[in-house]
Amino acid sequence: MATLDRFSSQADLYARYRIDYPTELYQWLLPQVPGRARAWDCATGNGQVAAVLAEHFAQVEATDISTAQLSKAPQRSNIRYQTARAEHTPFAADSFDLITVAQAVHWFDMDAFNAEVRRVLRPGGVLAEWGYNLLTISPEIDPLVRHFHDDTMRPYWDDNRWHIMDEYARLPFPFVGAQTARFAVRRQWSAEWLLNYLRTWSSVANFQKQHQQDPVLQLAGELTQLWGPGEREVVFPVFARAGQVE
């Protein structure tokens, strides 16, 4: 299976405009993890999750296929960043108490990744995968964003994207004691901030590569008018699952 890198070209935007994850998610996850020695944040991107894990684990390994993304990650004395595929890592067997994958597992070769998880997790160790679905704002703005996502950008989404829309229901999770949870990320954003967030989408990057144009401009005028002055609350629904290796 070919490795897909859909985020290097917009690494600067990604680092600034992508959301981080709520405290409640970590409060749900961490009590499930039996040890605090080592964690691996797989597909770390710009290191958002790795930085949080570094507050709870003695050592954090953080990997990504994008060196551009890794260059934006926060430096901590107990985080080591390196370029590696999710399915093939340099780690020794039985290395980790926790593996996390945030908004990325839908890009993986799942059989190969799950085999690697079983190899590098310690007995009783936890794999946690989560993502977030399409944001909501208001009854008048949501249909505009949904049309842009579902229709305008549809030819430019990789098929992998639709695993997010059904919350990983079709992606295997062959681990014991599986638990699921839902959370909400709430942010106060301006219209400009939202438009720049849309520019982090892989479909937008694909469109720009093909047409050398910014497709976000197609909805910028109407969205800005509907938005009005100031900020609005933007809500991202977060879904998560976690399980253990025996």
Side-chain angles (χ1 to χ4, degrees):
M1 181 177 180
T3 299
L4 295 175
D5 179 358
R6 293 293 188 247
F7 301 101
S8 288
S9 63
Q10 67 270 41
D12 287 332
L13 288 169
Y14 201 101
R16 183 171 184 186
Y17 295 107
R18 281 287 175 128
I19 63 169
D20 53 7
Y21 302 102
T23 300
E24 292 79 8
L25 187 153
Y26 298 101
Q27 291 173 336
W28 166 78
L29 172 60
L30 291 172
Q32 302 179 48
V33 183
R36 289 292 185 273
R38 298 186 76 209
W40 168 29
D41 186 35
C42 179
T44 192
N46 52 43
Q48 293 176 343
V49 175
V52 176
L53 296 181
E55 300 174 5
H56 301 276
F57 291 83
Q59 178 64 35
V60 175
E61 301 288 346
T63 62
D64 204 277
I65 62 170
S66 171
T67 56
Q69 287 269 46
L70 292 174
S71 71
K72 308 299 179 183
Q75 301 301 307
R76 302 285 189 273
S77 61
N78 62 335
I79 303 177
R80 178 170 61 175
Y81 296 102
Q82 55 187 315
T83 305
R85 290 183 57 193
E87 303 88 350
H88 302 285
T89 70
F91 306 128
D94 301 331
S95 290
F96 297 107
D97 302 295
L98 172 66
I99 298 173
T100 55
V101 189
Q103 194 73 355
V105 75
H106 52 290
W107 296 107
F108 299 170
D109 177 331
M110 291 303 298
D111 289 341
F113 173 65
N114 286 336
E116 186 71 349
V117 167
R118 290 186 180 281
R119 186 182 72 83
V120 302
L121 264 184
R122 293 170 178 158
V126 172
L127 169 66
E129 301 169 349
W130 64 86
Y132 52 89
N133 221 315
L134 192 62
L135 55 86
T136 59
I137 303 159
S138 70
E140 68 273 18
I141 294 175
D142 290 351
L144 182 64
V145 176
R146 172 69 69 169
H147 176 75
F148 183 69
H149 178 280
D150 288 356
D151 300 311
T152 307
M153 288 293 99
R154 178 172 285 275
Y156 304 96
W157 287 115
D158 294 281
D159 288 343
N160 311 60
R161 168 64 187 178
W162 307 108
H163 288 299
I164 287 286
M165 301 306 290
D166 64 16
E167 300 186 350
Y168 295 166
R170 291 176 290 122
L171 295 181
F173 195 71
F175 301 96
V176 299
Q179 298 187 44
T180 61
R182 294 178 182 275
F183 309 93
V185 172
R186 301 178 183 275
R187 297 288 182 268
Q188 294 292 322
W189 280 3
S190 65
E192 180 183 9
W193 195 279
L194 175 65
L195 293 171
N196 280 321
Y197 162 73
L198 297 181
R199 291 184 173 102
T200 71
W201 284 2
S202 61
S203 60
V204 171
N206 288 339
F207 184 103
Q208 290 173 326
K209 289 176 184 177
Q210 292 186 38
H211 302 289
Q212 290 73 55
Q213 295 178 354
D214 179 5
V216 174
L217 296 178
Q218 297 180 29
L219 80 160
E222 183 177 0
L223 185 142
T224 301
Q225 184 176 11
L226 287 171
W227 197 279
E231 297 182 337
R232 287 175 177 256
E233 183 178 68
V234 177
V235 181
F236 288 85
V238 177
F239 57 92
R241 61 188 187 181
Q244 293 181 309
V245 296
E246 295 182 287

